[in-house]
Amino acid sequence: MRSTVHTGTDYNNTTAFSPNTGSPADEPVTIKGTGVSIVRIAGTTGNANCVRLYSGSYLFENLEFVHKTQSSNPLDCFFIGGGGTKLKFSGCKFKSEQSSAGASLFRDRQNSTHIGIFSDCVFDGNNLSDFGVHRSDGTTNFAPQNFINCTFKNLANAAIRLDESRSCVIRGCVFSDCVNGVVFDANSYHQNFIEDNIFYNLSGNGIAFNNFGNLSASSYEHNIFSVITGHAFTANQDWSGAQKLSRFDRNAFHNVTGSTHNNLTTGANDITLTADPFVDAANGDFNLNATNGGGGTLRSTNYTLGG
């Protein structure tokens, strides 16, 4: 396996971090940071993405991608163009420090075969970026996207927006202080697994469906929704029939202003909470507390994330 190891704490965007020739699909290139501090890959202040990638297989480890565009036109931080890519990110962070609000921290655009795996990554929009991850287009190839134990925060539209996707896995993630959590666009499809996640302090919706296929052969279970101004689950029309084809149960709800299941049917084993279930969510501690009606109720039913 070929690899490029970088040490230190700050680099400017160079071609080393914007490869456009790719690598063999069966021999990924590893680009990683080593040392006590996470290696920071900072984009230029000019009219450019932090990283532009067009093809190849890569493993990115222990890197922070920072978008610093200081123009009036917001740009995506990590941009995937045309062609086929297979990417895995481990322990990486994506953050916006651009001057204008908008765009995405990670954008997969016009890529027919991009497959992405994100593990233990942080997407911090800094109240500037619209999306944490936005997959758009894809020419009906429906490539899977996977997010395991990731954190999404401070995003002005949706933490994850998926188009032309199916067989997506979102598990063990925290979505906080965003407008929306996960949005499936009209051209996304089925076989999705969204389980063991926390949705907290969202001014919009937790999970939104715009295609009945989003509810086919899928699992939406064991998620906690707390302080949701919109709906926890919402479909743009009555798809309770399609919902029967999936596992859709054992979710917990606290302080949801809208409906827990808009245009959908509630689960037989869902839990309604009357108190905050977390130790200190406002400061990022999402461990379950012992409060009756909150975390204590979940504990009493052996409801632990990952269980």
Side-chain angles (χ1 to χ4, degrees), residues 237-275:
Q237 57 183 288
D238 186 352
W239 284 329
S240 56
Q243 182 185 354
K244 296 176 182 178
L245 297 172
S246 295
R247 292 174 60 86
F248 215 106
D249 199 8
R250 299 193 308 142
N251 297 291
F253 306 93
H254 163 251
N255 194 10
V256 177
T257 302
S259 173
T260 60
H261 297 75
N262 182 51
N263 285 324
L264 299 165
T265 302
T266 58
N269 299 293
D270 285 342
I271 301 174
T272 299
L273 303 174
T274 57

Side-chain angles (χ1 to χ4, degrees), residues 78-282:
F78 199 114
F79 178 87
I80 303 294
T85 57
K86 295 178 175 63
L87 307 177
K88 180 180 178 181
F89 295 85
S90 298
C92 292
K93 183 175 181 179
F94 303 79
K95 186 177 181 181
S96 176
E97 293 181 1
Q98 60 183 345
S99 59
S100 299
S104 308
L105 293 175
F106 183 93
R107 178 73 178 273
D108 173 16
R109 186 182 183 197
Q110 297 179 347
N111 189 331
S112 60
T113 58
H114 169 248
I115 298 174
I117 298 179
F118 301 83
S119 175
D120 300 290
C121 293
V122 175
F123 298 82
D124 184 358
N126 201 22
N127 296 314
L128 291 169
S129 294
D130 284 341
F131 305 99
V133 174
H134 183 190
R135 172 171 167 79
S136 59
D137 304 310
T139 63
T140 68
N141 277 269
F142 304 111
Q145 311 301 313
N146 304 276
F147 307 91
I148 310 298
N149 299 330
C150 293
T151 298
F152 298 82
K153 58 184 179 181
N154 305 320
L155 292 153
N157 193 308
I160 300 177
R161 180 178 173 182
L162 297 172
D163 194 12
E164 301 286 5
S165 303
R166 68 178 175 190
S167 301
C168 297
V169 176
I170 303 174
R171 182 174 292 128
C173 296
V174 175
F175 303 85
S176 66
D177 304 305
C178 303
V179 175
N180 300 294
V182 179
V183 176
F184 287 96
D185 281 352
N187 290 322
S188 58
Y189 215 47
H190 55 220
Q191 295 175 313
N192 301 300
F193 298 86
I194 302 185
E195 303 167 327
D196 301 313
N197 302 290
I198 292 172
F199 297 83
Y200 172 77
N201 195 32
L202 305 183
S203 59
N205 304 306
I207 302 176
F209 306 105
N210 290 287
N211 185 328
F212 74 91
N214 302 148
L215 302 167
S216 300
S218 299
S219 178
Y220 300 93
E221 292 197 312
H222 220 261
N223 301 288
I224 301 176
F225 299 84
S226 179
V227 192
I228 310 297
T229 301
H231 308 296
F233 291 103
T234 183
N236 64 358
Q237 57 183 288
D238 186 352
W239 284 329
S240 56
Q243 182 185 354
K244 296 176 182 178
L245 297 172
S246 295
R247 292 174 60 86
F248 215 106
D249 199 8
R250 299 193 308 142
N251 297 291
F253 306 93
H254 163 251
N255 194 10
V256 177
T257 302
S259 173
T260 60
H261 297 75
N262 182 51
N263 285 324
L264 299 165
T265 302
T266 58
N269 299 293
D270 285 342
I271 301 174
T272 299
L273 303 174
T274 57
D276 183 352
F278 304 118
V279 172
D280 188 5

